[in-house]
Amino acid sequence: MTLKELLTGALLQLDRGTDAQTLESWRDKLTRYLNDAMIDLTSELQPRRSDTLTLTDGVLDLANLPRNVVKVIALSRAGTRLPFYYGASTELLRVPAVTDGEVLVTYRYMPPALKVDTDVPELPEWSHGAMIGYAVGRERASGDAGSIASARACFELYNAAKRMMRAHRGELDAYAIENR
């Protein structure tokens, strides 16, 4: 879902209009709530991706990756795993006894914040409904006593959905501990 679709879904659940003026007046607040939900879900889902970096003098600069790195999971070259350790800063990885060149970096990342109508959260499509529920709950939590009961229900549904999410969904069943 795009940011505009997420905003429209939240406004519909809040019994607000979805015309352009209403959408614009709620945009900043609901976008902030949706981004908060995305950050929270990221800690649960632990999204991963792999990108190529150039190894220079045994050092990889993680700042050159397209996303903000949460944790490097693996380095490989031609299907062979490479050992690594962090250098002087958390943005530098040392790769001992390996010649310079291209290295595939697999890492957990923080998705970029939603800003414009066409932005799509970099989380699985099936988790977008939970983001809407969180935004609705946050808005209702700032209301009167009746709204707070409704907010509690929204948060219970959100937390139930979050408990069902697994970071390892779709991955192998057996793992090897490497880089101890």
Side-chain angles (χ1 to χ4, degrees):
M1 300 175 93
T2 64
L3 174 59
K4 186 173 184 176
E5 292 169 336
L6 292 169
L7 292 171
T8 302
L11 287 171
L12 287 172
Q13 285 190 25
L14 290 167
D15 296 324
R16 306 282 195 268
T18 57
D19 57 283
Q21 184 178 0
T22 305
L23 189 65
E24 196 55 42
S25 66
W26 285 88
R27 176 180 307 284
D28 290 342
K29 186 184 229 183
L30 291 178
T31 300
R32 205 169 46 250
Y33 295 160
L34 289 168
N35 282 324
D36 289 347
M38 188 169 57
I39 290 169
D40 187 47
L41 291 176
T42 296
S43 67
E44 198 68 34
L45 293 172
Q46 301 176 5
R48 300 169 185 174
R49 63 181 286 151
S50 296
D51 291 306
T52 304
L53 280 181
T54 302
L55 181 66
T56 308
D57 296 329
V59 176
L60 285 173
D61 187 1
L62 300 178
N64 294 330
L65 289 169
R67 298 286 178 272
N68 292 330
V69 177
V70 173
K71 180 181 181 180
V72 174
I73 298 170
L75 298 181
S76 63
R77 179 184 285 162
T80 303
R81 291 284 183 110
L82 303 174
F84 64 91
Y85 61 93
Y86 285 93
S89 74
T90 57
E91 291 189 357
L92 299 177
L93 280 184
R94 302 265 181 216
V95 185
V98 177
T99 58
D100 292 349
E102 297 290 312
V103 174
L104 185 66
V105 181
T106 302
Y107 60 100
R108 286 185 26 218
Y109 66 94
M110 182 60 65
L114 303 173
K115 295 177 183 168
V116 296
D117 284 346
T118 56
D119 286 349
V120 177
E122 289 188 13
L123 293 176
E125 182 79 25
W126 47 265
S127 69
H128 295 181
M131 291 173 60
I132 293 173
Y134 179 87
V136 170
R138 284 275 301 267
E139 177 54 32
R140 288 185 174 159
S142 63
D144 60 356
S147 295
I148 291 174
S150 176
R152 187 175 300 123
C154 288
F155 287 135
E156 286 175 10
L157 289 172
Y158 171 77
N159 286 322
K162 196 167 97 169
R163 280 191 300 273
M164 300 292 290
M165 298 177 188
R166 298 287 180 254
H168 60 286
R169 184 175 172 173
E171 292 183 2
L172 299 173
D173 290 332
Y175 299 92
I177 297 173
E178 297 181 17
N179 209 31
R180 291 186 273 157

